[in-house]
């Protein structure tokens, strides 16, 4: 039982880009591009009914929208394979090797033969109309906090194209990402709390990173979560990129389902049945003849209508919050947007507002025959769109009487979710006839076993023995996203391991709490800062200030940042001169307090050198100079 008072069941599906030289089915590089594309072409995908299998409604809907797809390509990272002008090349062996390595690390059983399959996709995210995927291994596990989490399947698949825009009647995709090898790892739905979900995702991520052969950085790992609570329904949340958001998303989804069940119970108490919610729409355009509502005026002027529907027994429930900032009414609006492409809807729980007056609300209620417990939804649109929008609202309202609808949702940046599409029917798969099955031989497995990376426990030992980290810090480093960066800095720059570890694990956390956007710091920037320290160009005390500046100004190089902040390292001679000057100024203090002046003097001087020279040197020089002064005083 979670602290929300409900039983949660959650499973994860993790998609991680592999760091291979080439794509999965061609020789193109696996690099995401930011420059403008070199060329574009257009396609209309026309899958046959049989290919699409049992045509689900969402698929049919996508298909019937009649959109075309514009693909953007780069001459040097997209070839005829991605354009579907040439058959796929044999499966990338490097990718297979990494996938098998990950499978073995998770104790999964590799298949005897890898058979590439085609999974039909019709949203245009693949030029071929299908995505290629291959099962690599089954039945592995990861152990998290002493609990075994079964890994059901490990697949190798090609990444889809990147959606970069939606125009009128067209969707624009970029092909740089299409074909990059992804490993897909699916756990059994045995996770029971939001925090556990995050720890499992983390543990899997750690095993992936420990191979050193997966891509890193934002967008290279995406997690799908399936979440349900007891009495609720399986909801899939797609494409979560930030690990730190997982527990929040699971929590908010459990909360949403719990709230929806409460709304259902209240509707039932009020005696509402699904069939009471009728798709009977009333044209109330005349009510808004002289309205002050800007949205209404604009819609009606361009030939739209005001259409309303009664929701019996829904009063106070449409406006009830089900996730922070999101209401049942938001769910209605999501559906209306999806099925009818309308801008939004209005519901009676939020009115009067938006320029819609009390009087207008009362007139609509009268026209619809709303009783005390009834609510209504209103939309201003072209008639055909308005009808579709209210049909979608009626459908969703009917589901509210049943409970939680099964559906696919997308995560918002704040951890709440929004409707994405209905849960797709099980996609039919076909063997990819252009690629021959690949046997997994004992020989291949033996070779891969011999190159398995050291397990986390071994790595921990090395962090303690070789780098001299404390057990506690080594553990934190091992769990850190910065593990690779840590080893790179320590081995290449010869900066003390403890300094690097404490900067990556303590300083960054501290700065984040202080409101510094540390996520904007690139690995290169952090590396650059340590390079300055290693070369003695800035003192280690300057690291926090430098990192803060670089987080605020990511376009600036660490060298420029050090220059701008006046952090050029101070020489010992410069420091000595400064100390002499301060001792002159504070002659009274020195005379009155003797050796006990050391503390206050250190404070003053540390404040002045502001990280330009390390504290140990300052302490040594101040101590020495003070001693000289005091013995001079004694002599005189
Ligand atoms: Zn290619």
């Amino acid at each position: 039982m979670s602290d929300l008072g409900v039983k949660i069941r959650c499973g994860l599906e993790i998609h991680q880009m592999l760091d291979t030289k080439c794509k999965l089915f061609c020789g193109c590089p696996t690099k995401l591009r930011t420059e403008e594309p070199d060329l574009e072409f257009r396609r209309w995908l026309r899958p046959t009914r049989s290919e699409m299998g049992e045509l689900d409604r969402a698929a049919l809907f996508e298909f019937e929208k009649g959109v075309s797809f514009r693909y953007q390509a780069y001459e040097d990272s997209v070839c005829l394979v991605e354009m579907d002008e040439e058959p796929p090349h044999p499966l990338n062996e490097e990718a297979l090797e990494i996938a098998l390595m990950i499978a073995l690390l998770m104790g999964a059983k590799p298949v005897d033969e890898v058979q590439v399959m085609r999974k039909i996709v019709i949203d245009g995210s693949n030029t071929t109309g299908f995505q290629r995927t291959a099962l690599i291994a089954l039945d592995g596990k990861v152990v998290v906090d002493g609990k075994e989490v079964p890994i059901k399947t490990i697949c190798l698949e090609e990444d889809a194209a990147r959606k970069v825009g939606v125009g009128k009647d067209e969707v624009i995709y970029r092909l740089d990402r299409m074909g990059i090898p992804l490993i897909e790892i699916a756990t059994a739905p045995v996770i029971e709390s939001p925090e556990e979900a995050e720890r499992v995702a983390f543990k899997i991520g750690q095993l992936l990173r420990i191979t050193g052969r997966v891509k890193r950085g934002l967008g290279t790992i995406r997690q799908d979560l399936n979440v349900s609570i007891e009495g609720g329904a399986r909801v899939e949340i797609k494409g979560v990129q930030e690990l730190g958001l997982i527990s929040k998303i699971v929590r908010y989804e459990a909360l949403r389902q719990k709230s929806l069940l409460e709304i259902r119970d209240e509707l039932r108490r009020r005696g509402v049945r699904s069939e009471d919610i009728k798709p009977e729409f009333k044209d109330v355009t005349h009510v808004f003849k002289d309205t002050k509502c800007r949205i209404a005026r604009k819609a009606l002027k361009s030939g739209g209508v005001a259409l309303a529907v009664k929701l019996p027994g829904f009063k106070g429930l449409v406006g009830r919050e089900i996730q922070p900032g999101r209401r049942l009414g938001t769910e209605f609006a999501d559906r209306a947007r999806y099925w009818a492409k309308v801008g939004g809807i209005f519901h009676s729980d939020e009115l009067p507002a938006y320029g819609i007056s009390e009087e207008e609300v009362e007139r609509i209620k009268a026209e619809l025959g709303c009783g005390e417990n009834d609510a209504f939804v209103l939309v201003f649109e072209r008639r055909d769109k308005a009808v579709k929008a209210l049909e979608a609202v009626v459908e969703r309202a009917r589901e509210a009487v049943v409970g939680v609808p099964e559906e696919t949702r997308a995560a918002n940046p704040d951890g709440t979710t929004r409707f994405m599409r209905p849960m797709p029917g099980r996609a039919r798969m076909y063997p990819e006839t252009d690629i021959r099955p690949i046997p997994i031989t004992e020989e291949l497995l033996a070779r891969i076993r011999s190159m398995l990376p050291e397990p986390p426990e071994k790595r921990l030992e090395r962090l303690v023995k070789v780098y001299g980290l404390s057990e506690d810090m080594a553990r934190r480093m091992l769990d850190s996203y910065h593990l690779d960066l840590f080893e790179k800095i320590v081995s290449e720059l010869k900066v003390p391991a403890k300094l690097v570890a404490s900067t990556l694990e303590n300083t960054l956390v501290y700065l984040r709490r202080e409101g510094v956007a540390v996520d904007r710091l690139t690995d290169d920037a952090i590396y650059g800062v340590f390079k300055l320290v290693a070369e003695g160009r800035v003192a280690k005390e300057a690291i926090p200030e430098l990192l803060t500046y670089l987080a605020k100004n990511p376009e600036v190089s660490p060298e420029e940042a050090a220059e701008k902040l006046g952090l050029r390292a101070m020489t010992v001679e410069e420091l000595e001169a400064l100390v002499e000057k301060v001792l002159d100024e504070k002659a009274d203090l020195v005379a009155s307090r003797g050796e006990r002046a050391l503390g206050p003097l250190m404070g003053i001087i540390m404040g002045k050198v502001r990280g330009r020279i390390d504290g140990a040197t300052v302490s040594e020089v101040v101590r020495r100079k003070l001693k000289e002064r005091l013995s001079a005083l004694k002599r005189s």
Side-chain angles (χ1 to χ4, degrees), residues 570-615:
M570 200 175 222
T571 61
V572 175
E573 290 71 35
E574 283 168 327
L575 175 65
E576 283 172 344
L578 175 73
V579 173
E580 293 283 0
K581 191 164 151 269
V582 172
L583 286 170
D584 289 343
E585 284 164 12
K586 299 286 171 189
D588 290 350
L589 181 81
V590 174
S592 63
R593 306 198 51 183
E595 277 179 19
R596 280 176 298 122
L598 182 67
L601 287 171
M602 271 301 285
I604 295 165
I605 290 158
M606 285 305 279
K608 284 186 192 287
V609 300
R610 267 182 65 245
R612 292 179 55 199
I613 190 158
D614 74 290

Side-chain angles (χ1 to χ4, degrees), residues 492-508:
E492 290 178 13
L493 298 177
K494 313 275 178 255
V495 186
K498 280 182 188 161
L499 174 64
V500 182
S502 108
T503 302
L504 294 175
E505 290 312 295
N506 299 337
T507 310
L508 288 183

Side-chain angles (χ1 to χ4, degrees), residues 36-304:
E36 284 304 299
D38 303 325
L39 56 123
E40 287 192 343
F41 60 96
R42 188 180 294 276
R43 289 282 161 79
W44 285 263
L45 293 184
R46 291 266 182 267
T48 64
R49 249 186 128 80
S50 69
E51 266 183 332
M52 283 158 70
E54 43 201 281
L55 261 177
D56 61 76
R57 200 167 127 226
L60 192 64
F61 176 70
E62 288 286 328
F63 184 45
E64 281 173 349
K65 279 190 294 192
V67 297
S68 68
F69 304 108
R70 179 140 62 99
Y71 294 105
Q72 302 182 331
Y74 297 90
E75 275 166 10
D76 54 352
S77 60
V78 172
C79 70
L80 293 173
V81 173
E82 289 99 322
M83 293 176 173
D84 195 26
E85 302 284 354
E86 188 185 310
H89 303 181
L91 184 87
N92 179 336
E93 280 177 22
E94 188 190 5
L96 178 61
E97 188 178 290
I98 302 171
L100 283 168
M101 187 185 269
I102 292 164
L104 293 179
L105 276 175
M106 295 181 174
K109 293 164 203 67
V111 295
D112 296 335
E113 193 176 72
V114 174
Q115 167 72 63
V116 180
M117 304 292 284
R118 295 175 169 187
K119 189 163 69 185
I120 304 289
V121 285
I122 58 167
D123 62 358
S125 61
N126 206 305
T127 51
T128 53
F130 49 80
Q131 182 190 26
R132 297 188 187 93
T133 174
L135 179 66
I136 301 297
L138 291 154
D139 297 329
K141 62 165 198 262
V142 291
V143 178
V144 180
D145 303 334
K147 172 171 157 182
E148 266 190 25
V149 176
I151 301 291
K152 289 194 306 186
T153 55
I154 297 176
C155 295
L156 189 56
E157 53 183 40
E158 54 180 355
D159 205 346
R162 255 188 319 146
K163 194 191 253 189
V164 289
V166 179
K168 198 176 150 36
D169 302 326
E170 69 167 10
V171 183
I172 307 157
Y173 285 104
R174 201 163 280 190
L175 292 180
D176 53 347
R177 199 179 73 182
M178 197 181 110
I180 294 183
L182 287 181
I183 188 157
E184 185 208 79
I185 296 161
T187 76
V190 299
I191 295 162
E192 292 167 309
S193 76
E195 294 70 29
E196 195 192 355
E198 197 158 304
R199 286 196 299 271
V200 172
F202 189 85
K203 180 76 193 191
I204 294 174
Q206 186 188 61
L207 282 172
L208 294 172
R209 287 190 299 277
I210 222 157
T211 63
R213 297 179 73 180
V214 298
K215 288 205 190 282
R216 301 171 63 233
L218 196 70
T220 58
I221 185 161
R222 302 193 293 273
Q223 354 243 351
D224 295 349
L225 319 172
N226 57 72
V227 183
S228 64
I229 67 166
E230 197 162 29
R234 188 167 177 276
V235 164
E236 244 181 55
I237 300 156
K238 288 272 178 200
V240 180
Q241 299 204 1
E242 257 179 273
L243 194 72
L245 218 48
I246 289 179
S247 66
K248 217 173 188 182
I249 292 171
V250 175
R251 174 172 298 277
Y252 285 169
E253 178 54 27
L255 183 64
R256 190 183 75 93
Q257 297 196 12
K258 187 183 174 216
S259 310
L260 289 175
L261 293 180
E262 285 164 4
I263 288 175
R264 177 197 64 187
D265 293 345
E266 177 60 25
L267 285 168
R268 288 183 178 173
R269 252 195 300 281
R270 294 181 187 179
V272 182
R273 296 165 311 165
S274 283
E275 58 268 31
D276 298 336
I277 307 160
K278 299 198 170 75
E280 288 166 2
F281 311 138
K282 190 104 191 162
D283 189 327
V284 291
T285 311
H286 55 279
V287 172
F288 295 94
K289 230 170 44 207
D290 299 310
T291 189
K292 293 204 162 61
C293 174
R294 226 167 32 82
I295 297 170
R297 280 212 311 267
K298 201 172 150 221
L300 302 187
K301 220 164 108 190
S302 52

Side-chain angles (χ1 to χ4, degrees), residues 310-315 348 365-366 368-376:
K310 176 165 88 171
L311 299 177
F314 273 79
K315 189 174 179 195
S348 48
K365 279 187 183 164
L368 291 169
C370 283
E372 208 191 318
N373 261 338
D374 302 338
F376 69 79

